Amino acid sequence: MSEIELTNPDAEPDERALESATRPGTLAEFTGQARVSDQLGLVLDAARHREAVPDHVLLSGPPGLGKTTLAMIIAAELGAPIRISSGPAIQHAGDLAAILSGLVEGEVFFLDEIHRMSRPAEEMLYLAMEDFRVDVVVGKGPGATAIPIEIPRFTLVGATTRAGLLPGPLRDRFGFTAQLDYYADEDLERIVNRSAVLLTVEVRPDAAREIASRSRGTPRIANRLLRRVRDYAQVRADGLVTRDVARAALELYEVDELGLDRLDRAVLDAVCRRFGGGPVGLSTLAISVGEEAETVEEVAEPFLVREGFLMRTPRGRVATGAAWRHLGLTAPAGARGAVDDPPDLFS
């Protein structure tokens, strides 16, 4: 795994199996997102008391925060089976009809990246969520006939990283919507300690704190960094993860004390050194760091903007004063964004 992938919040295909080893199985074991956990627990408890199928659940938020984990926890808490699919895999209404007709009563249907589902399948899902039936069209042209098929009552758990792309009618059919936020370092530290036990690696408290502080507020990244630090400790130390071992390992993988990796620093360096702090366009910036524009926009920029190192403006990307300081540089006079205080709009 490259240094870019190490801090990429998206999961690699071969990483899913590794994640299952550290994934919590109940809400009681789920760390962080306290508000969401409490609200979701109430929804599930109420459904159990009524002996009814819970409302459909929409989980939104950046990748790596636990949407898939929560979907599996919902099924486990209900004692129900779970069927997993994704929006890109459902390109025809028939694909969705085949899945829905195969569900059993009370089953949880987890649909990841629900915003990427095709429009015909989306329209079929409206009816399935509301009336628990699908209309299958038989024949073509004037002789086509819609045959209604009843389906068992189920709970749809939709996950999306871009809730704004979901049409209103689909959002309105979810009885409970949860917005997942980035984790505090204290929560990530608990996650690292729990994962260390499951991975049978001894991690000192200050080492767990060091890993957590460089994890960009994302549990997936925290667990990924832990695995790389574990490898370093086993090969170049005595297997014990101390703070010095964690720092040495993360330095080797070019993840600095604020969680910035090689690509992040390359982007900031290019904006500051080559373009005088900006503004600079995305395509020009991507060429200057030798990466695809999509990689810069989706992997590096969200973290840099969230941490206050970079600003997006109508004319391009602009480095802030924090970016200049992090690189140990002095912003030239008149550089846009180099002053942390907002401009006086009324002067």
Side-chain angles (χ1 to χ4, degrees):
M1 181 173 286
S2 71
E3 61 270 20
I4 296 175
E5 294 169 332
L6 198 62
T7 53
N8 187 343
D10 291 313
E12 297 294 322
D14 58 353
E15 194 176 16
R16 298 292 184 181
L18 296 174
E19 289 186 342
S20 64
T22 56
R23 182 170 278 141
T26 64
L27 280 175
E29 296 175 351
F30 190 81
T31 301
Q33 310 293 341
R35 175 181 52 81
V36 170
S37 293
D38 289 345
Q39 293 173 348
L40 184 57
L42 183 61
V43 170
L44 299 180
D45 286 341
R48 280 195 293 264
H49 288 157
R50 293 193 304 268
E51 297 183 352
V53 175
D55 287 340
H56 303 299
V57 176
L58 178 64
L59 304 172
S60 66
L65 299 188
K67 295 185 291 294
T68 300
T69 297
L70 282 174
M72 293 183 174
I73 286 176
I74 289 172
E77 294 277 355
L78 296 173
I82 183 170
R83 188 78 56 94
I84 299 175
S85 188
S86 66
I90 301 178
Q91 293 303 309
H92 305 284
D95 300 333
L96 181 62
I99 294 175
L100 294 175
S101 61
L103 297 176
V104 299
E105 187 74 19
E107 188 166 356
V108 174
F109 177 32
F110 175 51
L111 190 53
D112 199 9
E113 296 184 274
I114 190 173
H115 61 277
R116 296 178 61 188
M117 188 169 47
S118 69
R119 180 55 60 87
E122 187 179 279
E123 292 174 352
M124 175 177 282
L125 189 58
Y126 295 162
L127 190 62
M129 293 173 68
E130 200 161 49
D131 297 334
F132 296 100
R133 83 168 200 268
V134 293
D135 290 340
V136 177
V137 179
V138 178
K140 295 183 178 180
T145 303
I147 301 176
I149 298 177
E150 300 295 324
I151 58 176
R153 298 184 70 85
F154 68 98
T155 296
L156 174 67
V157 179
T160 178
T161 57
R162 306 182 70 180
L165 295 183
L166 290 179
L170 181 57
R171 286 198 306 269
D172 293 343
R173 283 170 169 79
F174 286 97
F176 173 68
T177 300
Q179 172 66 45
L180 275 64
D181 299 319
Y182 288 102
Y183 287 60
D185 285 354
E186 294 78 11
D187 291 330
L188 289 174
E189 186 178 342
R190 287 193 286 272
I191 290 172
V192 169
N193 284 321
R194 178 182 179 277
S195 297
V197 172
L198 297 174
L199 296 174
T200 64
V201 55
E202 186 177 356
V203 178
R204 293 282 173 82
D206 54 354
R209 198 171 305 118
E210 188 72 27
I211 295 171
S213 67
R214 304 187 188 208
S215 299
R216 300 174 177 248
T218 306
R220 175 174 289 147
I221 295 176
N223 284 324
R224 193 183 290 157
L225 295 182
L226 173 63
R227 293 196 297 270
R228 299 290 74 79
V229 171
R230 174 200 59 183
D231 296 344
Y232 183 95
Q234 291 174 346
V235 174
R236 299 192 179 181
D238 58 2
L240 173 64
V241 178
T242 64
R243 187 180 186 185
D244 289 340
V245 168
R247 284 182 168 179
L250 296 174
E251 182 179 348
L252 175 66
Y253 285 105
E254 300 184 86
V255 179
D256 70 17
E257 66 278 1
L258 295 183
L260 276 69
D261 62 17
R262 182 203 62 80
L263 177 60
D264 298 322
R265 290 189 297 275
V267 168
L268 294 183
D269 190 79
V271 175
C272 293
R273 292 181 188 271
R274 301 182 191 179
F275 303 105
V280 55
L282 175 62
S283 58
T284 301
L285 181 58
I287 292 172
S288 70
V289 298
E291 294 288 349
E292 297 291 334
E294 184 179 3
T295 301
V296 174
E297 186 175 29
E298 296 186 4
V299 177
E301 278 193 354
F303 179 67
L304 294 176
V305 171
R306 178 165 62 91
E307 294 299 306
F309 291 108
L310 203 65
M311 295 189 301
R312 287 175 173 171
T313 72
R315 295 183 59 197
R317 279 60 178 170
V318 176
T320 67
W324 289 93
R325 290 194 299 273
H326 189 69
L327 297 175
L329 301 174
T330 301
R336 289 195 61 188
V339 179
D340 290 326
D341 293 333
D344 186 354
L345 299 180
F346 301 100
S347 61

